[in-house]
Amino acid sequence: AQSVTQPDIHITVSEGASLELRCNYSYGATPYLFWYVQSPGQGLQLLLKYFSGDTLVQGIKGFEAEFKRSQSSFNLRKPSVHWSDAAEYFCAAEGGGSYIPTFGRGTSLIVHP
Amino acid sequence: DADVTQTPRNRITKTGKRIMLECSQTKGHDRMYWYRQDPGLGLRLIYYSFDVKDINKGEISDGYSVSRQAQAKFSLSLESAIPNQTALYFCATSTGAGELFFGEGSRLTVL
């Protein structure tokens, strides 16, 4: 079955530190891949997406993600975290022309001052 | 104004009551979705619609129904609400090119 796994339920970092949120997928072929962010009381907003081509994808708010086919991973990174980055982050995948994204369970990012 | 608007934003109701959550969009997208969010479970798809005459069940459709009144409107109904339907509900739209556009959510509490 197709699935998206985010191994970390919570991640705590200090402001200014680097960040990496993990995402693994299980699909028959390489799916489209997405990262969304949900700020408290808000809906989800797209950070970045990968369809094909360059495996390092740049997104909004200083985020980037790297697609690694050999590891079935699409990890999200940011070199220096700001307090305003505290939020819930969701990885999602869409495959086989379904137009139906499957979401991971989310990772809650806590930022300490 | 938001591109995807959900009403109500918050609702408290009692077991057995009928509830309707409404979603309207100004993005002109054909594809619309209803998701449910529970802590630790991420987003799970309830129903989706690719055009006005197309309605499809998602992974957790039991206990829910939908209506696509127009391209811009997609409503979710709970015919007889139960406490385990307490959750945050999201409507989303898409062009089919991958990105979903979400409303701000409707928080439903069933007592």
Side-chain angles (χ1 to χ4, degrees), chain A residues 34 36 38 43 51 90 99 105, chain B residues 33 37 40 90 96-98 100 103:
Chain A
F34 311 87
Y36 288 85
Q38 181 185 23
F51 287 175
F90 293 94
Y99 306 117
R105 296 189 173 194
Chain B
Y33 310 75
Q37 184 182 17
F90 284 105
L100 293 181

Side-chain angles (χ1 to χ4, degrees), chain A residues 4 27 45 59 64:
Chain A
V4 175
Y27 276 71
Q45 179 186 19
E64 66 179 25

Side-chain angles (χ1 to χ4, degrees), chain B residues 9-28:
Chain B
R9 292 291 312 279
N10 289 283
R11 182 72 183 268
I12 301 174
T13 191
K14 295 182 179 180
T15 297
K17 295 292 188 181
R18 184 178 188 273
I19 296 296
M20 178 179 286
L21 305 179
E22 298 184 338
C23 177
S24 63
Q25 53 119 343
T26 58
K27 299 192 74 66

Side-chain angles (χ1 to χ4, degrees), chain A residues 32 34 36 38 41-46 49 51 88 90 94 98-106, chain B residues 9 31 33 35 37 40-43 45 48 50 88 90 96-105:
Chain A
Y32 297 161
F34 311 87
Y36 288 85
Q38 181 185 23
Q42 301 294 316
L44 282 72
Q45 179 186 19
L46 183 72
K49 59 187 176 185
F51 287 175
E88 189 87 14
F90 293 94
E94 178 187 314
S98 70
Y99 306 117
I100 307 296
T102 296
F103 286 82
R105 296 189 173 194
Chain B
R9 292 291 312 279
R31 294 177 170 84
Y33 310 75
Y35 283 90
Q37 184 182 17
L41 296 180
L43 276 74
L45 183 64
Y48 62 101
F50 285 173
L88 184 57
F90 284 105
E99 179 178 0
L100 293 181
F101 297 85
F102 286 83
E104 293 188 324

